[in-house]
Amino acid sequence: MLTWARLRDLKCSELEAAADGWGRASNRADAARDRIDKQILAGLETTQEGEAADAAVARLGELSRNFQYAYTECGLVRTTLNSLAQELRVPQRRLRAALDDAAGLKFTVHADGSVGYPPAGEDLISREKLPGGTAEGTTLPPLLSPRPPLAPPNPLAEKAQEIADTIAHAVAEARAVDARYTATLVKLTAEDGLRVTDAMWSDANGDARVVRGLADEYLRDAIPRDKSPAERKSWWDGLTQEQREEYLAVYPDEIGNLDGIPSAIRDAANRDNLSLLIGELEGRGEEGPGTRLAGLRAIDEQLRAARDPNVPPMYLLGIGNQGNGRAIISFGDPDTSRNVSAYVPGLGTALDEDFARNDVQRARDTAIGAQRYDPSSASIVWLGYDAPQFSLTDISGATDVMSADQARAGATSYNEFMSGISATNQNADPHVTAIGHSYGSLTVGQAAQREGGVPGVDEIVLLGSPGTGAKSADDLGVGRSHVFVGAADNDPVTAMPAKIEARGMAAGAASGAVVGGAMAGPVGAAVGGLGGGAVAYLAQDAQADDREIWYGTDPAHEAFGARRFRVEDGPRPIGDAGGFAAHSSYFNPRVDEESARNIAKIVAGRGDRINTQEPR
């Protein structure tokens, strides 16, 4: 049991020294993991082949995960001990101040925390000194205290009681702190003969949550969430190395997703947070190819894969579990590259295996293409918002698709991210490109129409766009000659009807269905609905402005004023049974080499060399 004497004599600096030792162990584990991943594994996979090499790679990968686990857990122990020292100092200071008061008044503090006071004052009748006594400390409120209703007449009694109560409160607070931290430290253990399993990562995620709760006042409250990215960078630059290490160990989720933190730091934090997220979802038993767990595993697999010298290195700039999931991945370092692009995906995008395989591939292809024109190029895929979720098998998201609300919400987050790119890029005047595909082009368009436009952006590329909400390229803040559009002739999204046409189709379909149903039952209703919709569409189309599509002026139309670059027409949605194939090929050099090359030129600052196409 913690006594007042032990609390008084406690050396919090010794707890902090122990924390430093755990910090050194954490750093050594991190350095070992880094050496395995970046030196040993990379060299082995690029120079050796065969079963023995494959077995060695598998064992080294397992060892790397063990070191990562040791790094995480040792880091949590360090922060727990530092936070314990921080919290114990508060009651210790109050206790020592009370003991100083007692010594100054020549009171006696007994082993049980009661306070003896000497005779003082005098009896009004006998003129003798009033007897001394002992005050028993209590942590109860005054109204609940078992003290006599009348205070003793000795003038020192009240002060002695105050000191005794202060001692009791300080000891009680310290005991509560000690109990909380003891319970946490007991959990931060590993089995003998460490071999990290999925269950252990699930436990590590729980450990991290507990330690974060303990360290909120010590560390978390100082994180500048409400500051600008430039101010956040200044905050990070001003931290000591020890402080940075603690933040990375305990709050990788916060630091990894904080715009304005250098990319290499975000990457390190997010790789650790990725393991914790995988552990969390595995603990819930989430499985299946379309799940978030599958997406996280696919990203982790790519991050751990051998470094291909022909592919720029991956940086994980963001990862999170909120909404439909968050993931920001760069190929190439956006802090050192002269050219940086950030692509916003659209309809149906979520943190799943499809995103990890396809949208990430688009960023990879863009980076590889851009580096052919300028090696100092980085390409980012930014899933930092909730894109509308809609498919032919699940039409519940149809309302979201028809609304710009999610694009407007995403625009705020996108501009914050791009402001962070400007804050951390080390070039005097980096060349930055904003790319939006499908509904993502609406998000970019909304971001560009905010006051000041998209921070730091020089070029805007709109691909397969249903509109941006703008009437003209001039509204996007970079000048119409810096707005580029790729629109395949057989891309159905770029031919979305204007809202007046859509309303006519809906009304005509409803009327046709009623008439057809009355004449020929369900079959007649279906045929009548299709026919009525088609007739109404043609009637409205004759009145509608051909410049207009769903979200305003068609970016590929001459009235918009952007520079349209050449892309393949793609298969017809119905005639060639192509569906949405033409909508999904803009980035893919294996399917549409012309489009991919034009995008790469723009990203690399060679927009004057694109192959153009006549606007509509």
Side-chain angles (χ1 to χ4, degrees):
M1 182 67 72
L2 183 64
T3 65
W4 68 263
R6 293 185 66 184
L7 178 59
R8 175 198 62 194
D9 298 336
L10 177 68
K11 292 181 173 62
C12 291
S13 59
E14 291 182 351
L15 289 173
E16 290 169 331
D20 290 342
W22 284 98
R24 287 190 293 272
S26 178
N27 291 340
R28 284 197 294 269
D30 191 39
R33 174 188 62 169
D34 199 56
R35 185 169 179 228
I36 290 172
D37 291 346
K38 296 182 179 179
Q39 297 179 36
I40 301 174
L41 269 175
L44 184 62
E45 290 179 323
T46 55
T47 61
Q48 304 295 318
E49 294 181 359
E51 292 183 6
D54 291 343
V57 166
R59 292 290 299 274
L60 284 167
E62 186 177 283
L63 183 59
S64 173
R65 279 174 60 84
N66 289 352
F67 276 126
Q68 183 180 11
Y69 180 83
Y71 158 76
T72 298
E73 292 288 289
C74 290
L76 293 176
V77 174
R78 170 180 56 186
T79 297
T80 301
L81 291 173
N82 275 330
S83 187
L84 172 61
Q86 181 93 349
E87 285 205 44
L88 285 177
R89 278 196 174 96
V90 177
Q92 186 184 61
R93 280 195 295 267
R94 285 202 293 269
L95 170 70
R96 288 176 173 176
L99 294 175
D100 288 343
D101 287 345
L105 293 168
K106 297 193 171 25
F107 291 173
T108 301
V109 179
H110 303 294
D112 63 357
S114 61
V115 177
Y117 54 92
E122 63 179 27
D123 187 280
L124 294 176
I125 298 174
S126 66
R127 299 298 180 181
E128 295 180 355
K129 281 192 174 183
L130 295 170
T134 301
E136 302 284 343
T138 179
T139 58
L140 294 172
L143 292 178
L144 300 179
S145 172
R147 300 172 191 158
L150 297 177
N154 188 318
L156 298 178
E158 184 174 352
K159 183 62 178 177
Q161 188 64 58
E162 179 185 327
I163 292 173
D165 288 348
T166 299
I167 292 172
H169 276 98
V171 171
E173 181 181 348
R175 286 173 179 171
V177 169
D178 182 58
R180 280 192 291 116
Y181 280 86
T182 297
T184 299
L185 287 167
V186 165
K187 294 178 181 178
L188 296 175
T189 58
E191 300 174 4
D192 291 338
L194 177 63
R195 183 179 181 278
V196 177
T197 64
D198 292 341
M200 292 173 69
W201 270 115
S202 182
D203 289 341
N205 179 69
D207 293 340
R209 280 201 307 271
V210 172
V211 175
R212 288 168 193 165
L214 294 174
D216 277 357
E217 183 177 346
Y218 168 55
L219 286 176
R220 187 175 185 271
D221 291 348
I223 298 175
R225 296 172 196 80
D226 298 330
K227 301 294 185 180
S228 70
E231 289 172 316
R232 293 168 185 163
K233 182 178 184 301
S234 179
W235 167 77
W236 182 262
D237 290 344
L239 296 177
T240 65
Q241 183 60 29
E242 290 76 14
Q243 289 172 320
R244 293 177 185 175
E245 289 169 0
E246 283 204 75
Y247 275 112
L248 287 172
V250 183
Y251 297 105
D253 56 331
E254 296 258 6
I255 301 303
N257 291 287
L258 199 63
D259 297 320
I261 300 299
S263 295
I265 301 300
R266 292 180 70 164
D267 176 61
N270 284 315
R271 288 178 187 241
D272 292 328
N273 190 39
L274 176 61
S275 294
L276 294 174
L277 285 174
I278 290 173
E280 178 184 350
L281 296 182
E282 284 171 339
R284 297 180 190 173
E286 180 178 308
E287 291 294 343
T291 63
R292 191 162 301 173
L293 178 57
L296 293 173
R297 283 175 171 163
I299 291 172
D300 185 56
E301 177 186 311
Q302 292 181 54
L303 289 168
R304 293 179 183 277
R307 168 76 186 278
D308 184 338
N310 298 313
V311 179
M314 287 180 72
Y315 288 79
L316 187 59
L317 303 181
I319 198 75
N321 210 13
Q322 61 268 47
N324 296 327
R326 301 288 186 266
I328 307 171
I329 296 170
S330 178
F331 287 88
D333 186 348
D335 288 355
T336 60
S337 297
R338 284 190 300 271
N339 305 294
V340 181
S341 68
Y343 141 61
V344 183
L347 175 65
T349 310
L351 180 52
D352 54 21
E353 194 168 10
D354 183 69
F355 167 84
R357 301 299 182 197
N358 297 322
D359 292 279
V360 172
Q361 180 68 46
R362 291 170 178 173
R364 181 188 290 110
D365 286 337
T366 300
I368 293 171
Q371 288 200 357
R372 292 195 182 103
Y373 298 98
D374 186 345
S376 184
S377 298
S379 176
I380 301 166
V381 54
W382 182 86
L383 181 58
Y385 80 124
D386 286 327
Q389 301 299 298
F390 174 78
S391 69
L392 295 177
T393 57
D394 180 10
I395 62 172
S396 60
T399 303
D400 294 334
V401 177
M402 294 185 289
S403 167
D405 289 348
Q406 285 171 269
R408 283 190 283 265
T412 300
S413 299
Y414 184 69
N415 280 352
E416 179 92 352
F417 174 76
M418 297 303 277
S419 182
I421 292 295
S422 295
T424 59
N425 191 278
Q426 299 166 17
N427 293 276
D429 185 21
H431 175 257
V432 181
T433 303
I435 304 176
H437 175 241
S438 188
Y439 190 90
S441 69
L442 175 63
T443 303
V444 169
Q446 293 294 303
Q449 291 173 78
R450 300 290 173 87
E451 184 177 356
V454 182
V457 161
D458 302 285
E459 326 282 357
I460 291 176
V461 179
L462 308 171
L463 303 167
S465 177
T468 63
K471 291 184 177 181
S472 164
D474 294 325
D475 299 332
L476 301 186
V478 294
R480 63 172 50 200
S481 64
H482 295 278
V483 178
F484 300 84
V485 175
D489 283 342
N490 291 324
D491 181 348
V493 173
T494 70
M496 284 183 69
K499 292 184 179 179
I500 184 174
E501 296 168 327
R503 285 194 293 269
M505 288 173 67
S511 299
V514 170
V515 174
M519 296 177 63
V523 174
V527 174
L530 290 171
V535 170
Y537 170 75
L538 292 172
Q540 292 289 355
D541 186 53
Q543 303 177 44
D545 189 332
D546 69 352
R547 295 174 295 184
E548 296 298 307
I549 53 177
W550 189 263
Y551 292 111
T553 306
D554 178 1
H557 197 282
E558 61 180 355
F560 193 75
R563 298 172 65 188
R564 187 182 183 191
F565 57 84
R566 187 170 299 282
V567 303
E568 294 290 339
D569 291 342
R572 292 173 296 173
I574 298 176
D576 298 327
F580 282 79
H583 184 64
S584 305
S585 302
Y586 295 102
F587 296 90
N588 192 337
R590 295 160 294 281
V591 177
D592 191 343
E593 184 178 2
E594 186 89 62
S595 175
R597 185 186 299 118
N598 283 324
I599 294 169
K601 289 176 181 177
I602 297 165
V603 169
R606 306 292 195 272
D608 56 332
R609 300 184 186 179
I610 62 169
N611 293 325
T612 60
Q613 185 172 357
E614 285 297 313
R616 291 172 175 167

